[in-house]
Amino acid sequence: MECERDDFEKEYKREMMAVQDSMDVLNGKWKISIISSICFYNKRRFSDISKDVVGISNRMLSKELKELEFNQLINRTVLDTQPVTVQYELTEHGRSLQTIINNLTAWGIEHRKKIIGN
């Protein structure tokens, strides 16, 4: 019987580590909102994301986009325009978050209804 418990505890610890890894990548106030903006439109310019994510400063948006790019969730493309335009889109790995974003959206809508009504 002790063997079963050890296996259960190892599996639990592995799952908790996976949750922590996910939270490390998506932590903070802004990342989910930034990903949601890009996810909804497929491709977004810096200024468009800035308008979508109410309250974020340009400096913070730039920092968060760099972290998302580092974690291979978004691609950054510099377009040959005057003035230069930068466009962001989700990578294939980033698109794997679509289900999570959809679930968070649905939950948020229901939560708002429950707390403040229609």
Side-chain angles (χ1 to χ4, degrees):
M1 284 306 225
E2 192 63 37
C3 188
E4 279 184 32
R5 181 168 183 188
D6 287 344
D7 290 343
F8 174 79
E9 286 181 16
K10 286 178 186 175
E11 182 62 21
Y12 173 75
K13 286 180 181 180
R14 189 179 75 78
E15 288 182 11
M16 290 305 297
M17 185 180 291
V19 169
Q20 188 60 51
D21 290 345
S22 300
M23 294 306 296
D24 287 346
V25 172
L26 301 173
N27 72 345
K29 184 176 178 179
W30 309 110
K31 285 194 179 83
I32 297 292
S33 296
I34 293 167
I35 291 168
S36 296
S37 173
I38 298 169
C39 202
F40 186 76
Y41 291 98
N42 293 322
K43 294 182 180 181
R44 278 318 248 169
R45 294 179 310 173
F46 184 94
S47 60
D48 296 328
I49 299 169
S50 181
K51 289 175 191 169
D52 289 344
V53 183
V54 176
I56 193 169
S57 69
N58 286 345
R59 184 176 175 195
M60 179 58 73
L61 178 55
S62 180
K63 175 189 166 292
E64 298 287 52
L65 287 167
K66 285 177 186 171
E67 288 180 19
L68 291 169
E69 187 177 15
F70 176 80
N71 284 297
Q72 300 177 8
L73 297 176
I74 63 170
N75 282 326
R76 178 182 187 269
T77 304
V78 178
L79 303 175
D80 189 19
T81 58
Q82 278 299 21
V84 173
T85 305
V86 178
Q87 192 169 324
Y88 297 91
E89 63 184 314
L90 294 176
T91 62
E92 186 176 334
H93 183 53
R95 284 191 299 275
S96 68
L97 292 168
Q98 180 71 53
T99 303
I100 294 168
I101 297 299
N102 291 343
N103 288 339
L104 281 171
T105 301
W107 187 88
I109 290 167
E110 290 304 313
H111 177 68
R112 182 174 290 265
K113 285 179 188 176
K114 184 174 183 70
I115 299 302
I116 63 173
N118 294 332

